[in-house]
Amino acid sequence: SSSGGTSVVEILNIMEGFDVSGMEVNSPEYINAFTEAFKIAFADRAEYIADTDFTDVPLEGLTSKDYAASRAKLIELGTTQDYLSGEPYGFQGSNTTHFSIMDKQGNIVSVTQTNNGGSGITAVGTGVLLNGEMADFSTGADNANSIAEGKRPLSSMSPTIILDPAGNPYAAIGTPGSTRIITTMAQVISHLIDHHMDIQTAINMPRFFCNGGDLYMETRIDESVAKALEDMGYTIQRTKDYDTYYGGVHGVLKQADGSLRGGADPRRDGKALGY
């Protein structure tokens, strides 16, 4: 029920939209920017934050950097204004997660879990939330992915186990990310096998995505590359340096000396652990 941490994070996320380090502390510009961020955070606080035992508080949305960026756009430096609360529910994040496990005996697991927004219904007597995957069916009756009794909908989930040429466990890897799961997995697996990258290096590498239409690329891919692709006829859309749009890969790799090396994606809130 304390709004403190949430509101502090929202203010600081909003301020990431400004060159704070270039401002003189307590200068008019500095106080102006912070004050407007304060006012935005308090507007959201008044609208959404309460005891989470009684209220569905969109904590993830309120602390989302993307949400803060959308709110920061309202600020016009050199002026002051009043603010209404925003719409943080649309920034509550994705519904899919992935974990990969390997042990010294070579037992290996790759699991992707999703509820696709959830159905809001639990199976009686179990507490298990039923997913909302019906949304992944195609509309109409004449598509390969049309709804039918007992039929499973199309999915992009790609939990992967890689074996070496002798059939021994080499890696477990996977990611959330909707349709970007497929392209992200292809890129990371290629980094591991074709370029012999460390698993963390492979996960950190800049990503791109296209399923027809525009080509999306993280801004860490050099502008000269984007220009060359534009000259080939592509329409380029730039995303953030490390963008959650491309998923959050988690993997574990068995190294040549038999040790295990875990990797987690800085784009999301993952972690590699061993014990």
Side-chain angles (χ1 to χ4, degrees):
S1 59
S2 171
S3 65
T6 301
S7 297
V8 168
V9 169
E10 182 177 2
I11 290 166
L12 295 176
N13 283 342
I14 289 170
M15 292 304 296
E16 286 189 3
F18 302 93
D19 181 20
V20 179
S21 62
M23 298 178 183
E24 180 184 348
V25 174
N26 290 341
S27 65
E29 180 187 29
Y30 181 94
I31 293 174
N32 176 209
F34 265 103
T35 300
E36 298 304 291
F38 296 164
K39 290 161 68 175
I40 289 173
F42 276 109
D44 286 340
R45 177 182 184 272
E47 178 70 21
Y48 295 109
I49 299 182
D51 186 343
T52 54
D53 287 344
F54 292 83
T55 306
D56 178 19
V57 181
L59 295 175
E60 186 177 356
L62 289 168
T63 56
S64 161
K65 289 184 183 295
D66 288 338
Y67 177 66
S70 72
R71 300 291 275 157
K73 291 177 181 178
L74 300 175
I75 298 174
E76 297 180 17
L77 293 180
T79 68
T80 184
Q81 58 183 304
D82 294 325
Y83 302 93
L84 298 174
S85 58
E87 295 289 344
Y89 285 100
F91 295 83
Q92 284 288 88
S94 59
N95 306 295
T96 307
T97 189
H98 180 90
F99 62 86
S100 300
I101 302 172
M102 192 187 302
D103 67 16
K104 62 184 179 182
Q105 284 83 27
N107 297 302
I108 188 167
V109 178
S110 181
V111 175
T112 306
Q113 182 275 337
T114 187
N115 64 18
N116 208 48
S119 64
I121 299 171
T122 56
V124 176
T126 69
V128 175
L129 179 68
L130 302 181
N131 66 38
E133 295 295 329
M134 290 291 288
D136 283 345
F137 278 115
S138 300
T139 55
D142 55 354
N143 296 306
N145 189 43
S146 295
I147 297 172
E149 183 179 354
K151 187 176 183 180
R152 291 171 294 182
L154 187 69
S155 173
S156 299
M157 293 191 292
S158 307
T160 298
I161 290 174
I162 305 173
L163 305 179
D164 67 19
N168 299 311
Y170 174 69
I173 195 166
T175 184
S178 188
T179 51
R180 278 85 61 198
I181 291 174
I182 294 167
T183 55
T184 288
M185 288 295 292
Q187 289 169 75
V188 175
I189 291 170
S190 176
H191 296 332
L192 293 174
I193 295 174
D194 296 318
H195 296 279
H196 309 290
M197 290 185 188
D198 168 75
I199 191 165
Q200 190 62 60
T201 302
I203 290 171
N204 289 353
M205 288 293 290
R207 293 185 196 145
F208 52 92
F209 169 77
C210 184
N211 66 346
D214 295 352
L215 171 58
Y216 292 80
M217 295 168 40
E218 287 184 325
T219 49
R220 290 181 295 138
I221 296 176
D222 194 81
E223 187 60 37
S224 63
V225 175
K227 179 61 170 61
L229 290 164
E230 287 176 336
D231 290 344
M232 296 178 195
Y234 290 100
T235 299
I236 306 296
Q237 297 290 343
R238 291 297 217 161
T239 60
K240 292 182 293 186
D241 279 0
Y242 289 86
D243 205 304
T244 57
Y245 179 73
Y246 304 95
V249 177
H250 294 87
V252 56
L253 182 75
K254 188 171 185 179
Q255 302 184 111
D257 63 1
S259 62
L260 303 178
R261 167 83 166 149
D265 206 320
R267 294 167 181 84
R268 301 200 183 188
D269 57 351
K271 179 176 269 190
L273 294 172
Y275 67 94

